[in-house]
Amino acid sequence: MRSGEIESRPVALADRAVARILAETTSDETIYPRVLEAIGQTLDWELGLIWEAAPEDGPLTCVDVWYSPAAGDGAAQFAAASLHTVLASGQGLPGQVWASGEASWIVDFASHTEFPRAARAAATGMRSALCSPVRSAGGILGAIEFLSSRTREPDVELLEAMASLGSQIGQVVERRRAESRAQDAGERHRAIVDAALDCIITVDQSGRVLEFNPAAERTFGYSEEDAIGRDMGELIVPPALRERHRQGFARCVREGQGRLVGTRIELTGMREDGTQFPVELTITQIDVPGAPRFTGFVRDITERHEAEAELKASRTRIVEAGDEARRRIERDLHDGAQQRLIALAANLGLTKATMGDVPEATRLAIEQAHEQSLAALADLRALVRGLYPAVLGHRGLDAALSGLVAHATLPVRLRVDVAPRCAPGIEAIAYFTVSEALANIAKHAGAGHAEVTLRRSGQRLLVTITDDGRGGASMDSDGSGLRGLDQRARAVDGWLRVDSPAGGPTTITMELPCAS
């Protein structure tokens, strides 16, 4: 799929809309309704609610609601009944999400009669609900909830997106709570800097540290007194990156712009003890009279990287477990049912050849049984090959795909250059991608021929499948097997792209790591 198509997805649109609202809105009274409306309208939910937790682990309170004008009276009634509702930890869907810290999806409120608002949901026609924690680095601040009168099945991508949106909202909530505690204008700046969960480091035009907040002290290990007056590059940038940092900063001072200014970038930071760790950095120029000053907002993203690595590992384990299950079923069928069918076919064939003078009806029955046993054996062998071809494990992609192409219903040109072999899980993904693509071409493309190319480029495996059919293939099509192939590729840090204009030709490209 093209990058432009990915960026136009409703989830991506909702993320950008919320980020824009959080950045531009200054009124606390309007930020929640605008956020709820942006998410609800973009992701097609009829009703949205924001729940906030009182300090010191107090109860959850519904502090704001939004509903679509087109949703009807049911959504308005449920919104009115929910506003200012108070829930304890673990009570109802928001209470459970607050207690667990995990997003949750309810397909049908009717199956959750224990929820305090279940009866009201039934009376107003609300059926499905999605709820995600509003989170900051300091903990869970509340929950954001959306409801629909339609039955909606769980969507993993949407749950992950809501977790990200909840974190964005949580950071804003946390920051604004800190602002509300600062009454005096002179104290407000210091209060925000001191309460910020991100490191805030202000430097002058020469890169000397002017301000080093408590979060920076905790993250980098220096006290404010030790940091003030020192060169920021010497303080927190690894030696190998310092010259590059100085050149970029000099360009910021000279031109007032550069890659570092106004954008979030990931870099490597260094603590006082020399240990290095991943950080997210945003630098802004402070609009003050005199010499320019810059403030860097730095966030330790070690936990994010670890979570991403664990998510990738878990997806890989799921793919590997599925492939192992395929191999086990293939072995069981080959060693069990297939062998019994072979024996049955052999016995029937022997009986057919030696039965002598028997009634015609008996002869016909034996001949039909023999033919049916051979047909069942052929079907079982095809099923076994489709589950997990034994030749793939024994001889690799070249041999396995040669057998697949030999059974194709249209001419296919195959070129394979993948020595040395890739990991078994990667080979399985490549094989089933080609298998699915050729099946789709045969069923839907109206193609005269196809080409399949696999080649190894360093530590990456490149798979290309082309056909001269009518085109129009898309991962967004209902029932598209391409979406499943894309998910399998992404589970191992690969990708899949489909280029299929109307009228053809169609090209499917997949890139996979050679090691899983």
Side-chain angles (χ1 to χ4, degrees), residues 310-511:
E310 175 55 30
L311 178 61
K312 176 186 173 183
S314 67
R315 288 174 173 171
T316 301
R317 289 194 294 269
I318 291 172
V319 171
E320 292 174 345
D323 291 337
E324 177 56 34
R326 286 174 178 266
R327 286 191 290 267
R328 185 175 63 253
I329 295 171
E330 181 271 335
R331 289 194 300 268
D332 291 345
L333 288 175
H334 180 275
D335 297 338
Q338 184 170 316
Q339 298 306 315
R340 286 192 290 273
L341 274 175
I342 291 173
L344 174 61
N347 289 334
L348 287 171
L350 180 62
T351 301
K352 175 182 173 183
T354 60
M355 59 184 168
D357 187 15
V358 296
E360 184 63 21
T362 302
R363 180 183 300 277
L364 289 174
I366 292 174
E367 290 177 349
Q368 289 176 355
H370 185 231
E371 292 173 357
Q372 290 171 356
S373 67
L374 292 175
L377 182 59
D379 290 343
L380 183 59
R381 283 171 172 163
L383 174 62
V384 168
R385 285 195 303 269
L387 282 172
Y388 196 95
V391 68
L392 177 61
H394 296 152
R395 298 174 56 194
L397 280 168
D398 196 353
L401 291 175
S402 295
L404 182 67
V405 167
H407 290 85
T409 59
L410 77 164
V412 179
R413 181 182 180 185
L414 175 66
R415 290 175 289 183
V416 180
D417 181 13
V418 294
R421 290 181 61 175
C422 298
I426 299 302
E427 290 188 338
I429 294 174
Y431 174 85
F432 287 112
T433 296
V434 175
S435 177
E436 177 77 16
L438 291 181
N440 286 344
I441 292 169
K443 289 180 182 179
H444 309 297
H449 73 276
E451 293 189 7
V452 177
T453 302
L454 287 86
R455 65 181 180 89
R456 180 164 176 155
S457 176
Q459 294 302 310
R460 306 292 285 185
L461 174 64
L462 303 178
V463 182
T464 306
I465 306 118
T466 62
D467 70 77
D468 61 351
R470 64 177 61 95
S474 171
M475 283 190 284
D476 292 331
S477 301
D478 292 340
S480 173
L482 295 173
R483 188 181 302 110
L485 297 176
D486 177 53
Q487 292 171 349
R488 281 174 67 92
R490 288 190 287 114
V492 295
D493 196 25
W495 53 262
L496 182 141
R497 182 171 62 246
V498 178
D499 184 10
S500 184
T506 293
T507 300
I508 297 173
T509 308
M510 173 180 277
E511 181 177 305

Side-chain angles (χ1 to χ4, degrees), residues 185-197:
E187 296 176 356
R188 183 177 294 112
H189 170 76
R190 191 65 195 180
I192 294 173
V193 170
D194 288 350
L197 300 173

